[in-house]
Amino acid sequence: MKLKKLSYLTTLTILLHACIKDAPINPEADIETFTIEKKYLTADIFIDQANKKIMLNLTPAAFKSGVTPVITTSAGASVSPGSGDSLHLDSSRVSEYVVTAANGNKKIYTVEFGGMGIWKWDFETWLLQDKDKYQYVEEHGSSSFWSSGNPGIALSGVKKDPMEYPLRASSDAYHGKSSAELVTRTGTALSALLGIKLFAGSLFVGVFDSRNAMTAPLTATQFGEPYSGKPLRFVGYYKYQPGEHYQDKAGNIVAGMKDSCSVYAVLFKGTTRLDATNIHTSDRIVATASIPDGGPRTTWTRFDIPFKTVQPYTGTEKMMMAIVASSSKDGDTYKGAIGSRLVLDSLEIVK
């Protein structure tokens, strides 16, 4: 009996070991959090997982002295330089972190530093996103200042071609060789399943959080970059041609309705960005400037709009400035006209 019992227990043990497989080694190599003391920041840190970028906006003192970030990574991964190592900024304003997963996979994150303090743009330099093939703006040596809805639209199954996206470069320029062209385009089969029948062309100062692109798209557009002082005027040039047929959110044509564009700037207090749910309603807003008429402009038209104070402010607080443009004014509610075209050039915030 003892021999039989031992044989039974041995067999059971072997079977259990055979059924329990070793857990797979984690292949993820992500930086999940990147934390710096708030007193050193002029805007909240943003990790762009889609393009492997970390966007930092530091106070002048922190930029000069360097900072010490605390970093967490995917389970089992390591990062170099390590968490707690000092980050000293070089003249290129770019640094890199290499993350190595438990299984040996590697991912390189580029750190881009804001705080340029230059609020004038000509949209002369455009880059091509490697994976999804959409264009994005590079100004003053940084590609992290301007963003658009292109990263979210890339998730909807749009063809990987710069001309299939609502924002792209155009040779139709007021100054120099290039301008920013925003075009309202039809949605995709995937976006239609989510009730999105069109995508308005958008361009904005801030970042795009692709994690919310399909589930909460209005919060994916994160508006604003650090700004100091009191702005006087918002200046620039634009052309606009509305599409032929205005449609509602369901895709039904609305007779007699004409599309219009929107171009505006918003100054607000704090270091946390606003989004499409509160950019017009937040109690943090202190000043605004907006083109009064978003109707057709067949030739280059200059606008020069004074900022209107919404509530008192000193100009010494930590503040952020957002600039937002759309080829369809109601594009945030997926209404507009397919083919509406807005072209922007030579924008400036004048102090």
Side-chain angles (χ1 to χ4, degrees):
M1 291 295 293
K2 289 183 179 180
L3 289 175
K4 288 182 179 180
K5 185 175 182 180
L6 179 62
S7 177
Y8 171 78
L9 291 173
T10 302
T11 302
L12 181 61
T13 301
I14 292 171
L15 288 173
L16 287 173
H17 277 290
C19 292
I20 299 173
K21 297 180 180 179
D22 291 337
I25 298 174
N26 189 2
E28 301 298 326
D30 297 330
I31 289 179
E32 295 184 344
T33 64
F34 193 97
T35 307
I36 294 170
E37 285 189 66
K38 195 94 171 177
K39 64 182 180 180
Y40 299 127
L41 300 174
T42 57
D44 290 352
I45 296 169
F46 179 73
I47 302 176
D48 180 356
Q49 297 290 3
N51 295 303
K52 300 184 289 295
K53 291 182 180 180
I54 300 169
M55 287 117 178
L56 288 184
N57 289 275
L58 303 175
T59 63
F63 191 89
K64 183 177 180 180
S65 64
V67 291
T68 306
V70 176
I71 305 168
T72 63
T73 62
S74 307
S78 60
V79 60
S80 178
S83 176
D85 288 351
S86 294
L87 174 60
H88 293 281
L89 318 179
D90 58 27
S91 59
S92 68
R93 307 178 78 93
V94 173
S95 186
E96 290 183 347
Y97 282 86
V98 180
V99 185
T100 305
N103 73 344
N105 287 346
K106 291 184 182 294
K107 186 182 289 187
I108 298 176
Y109 284 80
T110 300
V111 180
E112 292 194 0
F113 301 97
M116 301 291 184
I118 303 172
W119 289 80
K120 185 176 183 179
W121 312 272
D122 279 326
F123 305 116
E124 289 297 290
T125 303
W126 293 76
L127 304 177
L128 185 67
Q129 202 267 356
D130 290 340
K131 179 184 175 183
D132 296 310
K133 307 304 180 186
Y134 58 79
Q135 291 179 305
Y136 58 99
V137 182
E138 181 182 62
E139 289 274 6
H140 314 309
S142 174
S143 59
S144 62
F145 193 89
W146 288 99
S147 190
S148 74
N150 282 357
I153 293 163
L155 301 175
S156 72
V158 69
K159 184 179 178 182
K160 298 181 187 302
D161 178 344
M163 296 307 293
E164 294 295 322
Y165 287 90
L167 173 72
R168 61 268 187 124
S170 173
S171 59
D172 180 8
Y174 172 78
H175 177 266
K177 297 180 179 179
S178 298
S179 63
E181 182 180 49
L182 295 72
V183 179
T184 300
R185 59 149 291 161
T186 185
T188 64
L190 177 58
S191 74
L193 294 175
L194 300 174
I196 301 173
K197 301 297 179 67
L198 63 74
F199 295 118
S202 65
L203 178 68
F204 58 88
V205 169
V207 296
F208 188 89
D209 191 345
S210 58
R211 297 172 300 175
N212 298 330
M214 302 304 284
T215 57
L218 296 184
T219 65
T221 50
Q222 298 281 310
F223 301 134
E225 289 294 325
Y227 186 87
S228 61
K230 286 191 171 186
L232 296 178
R233 307 191 317 276
F234 180 31
V235 179
Y237 292 82
Y238 76 110
K239 295 200 295 186
Y240 183 66
Q241 183 60 47
E244 187 174 358
H245 301 295
Y246 187 94
Q247 66 184 54
D248 62 18
K249 185 177 180 180
N252 302 310
I253 303 301
V254 182
M257 188 76 171
K258 290 293 184 182
D259 204 0
S260 59
C261 68
S262 63
V263 184
Y264 59 90
V266 178
L267 181 68
F268 55 95
K269 295 179 181 179
T271 60
T272 300
R273 295 176 173 91
L274 299 180
D275 58 44
T277 69
N278 58 11
I279 188 63
H280 298 297
T281 59
S282 173
D283 60 6
R284 295 163 53 200
I285 295 172
V286 298
T288 63
S290 176
I291 60 170
D293 175 16
R297 296 290 188 275
T298 57
T299 60
W300 282 106
T301 302
R302 186 175 188 267
F303 62 85
D304 187 339
I305 308 160
F307 273 84
K308 178 182 178 181
T309 300
V310 176
Q311 61 175 299
Y313 69 105
T314 65
T316 60
E317 307 97 326
K318 284 188 176 181
M319 297 183 298
M320 304 189 81
M321 176 75 77
I323 298 174
V324 184
S326 176
S327 57
S328 291
K329 180 181 177 182
D330 299 323
D332 56 348
T333 54
Y334 313 113
K335 296 182 288 187
I338 304 301
S340 291
R341 177 178 181 264
L342 171 64
V343 193
L344 293 171
D345 206 354
S346 300
L347 300 187
E348 182 178 3
I349 300 293
V350 180
K351 288 189 176 183

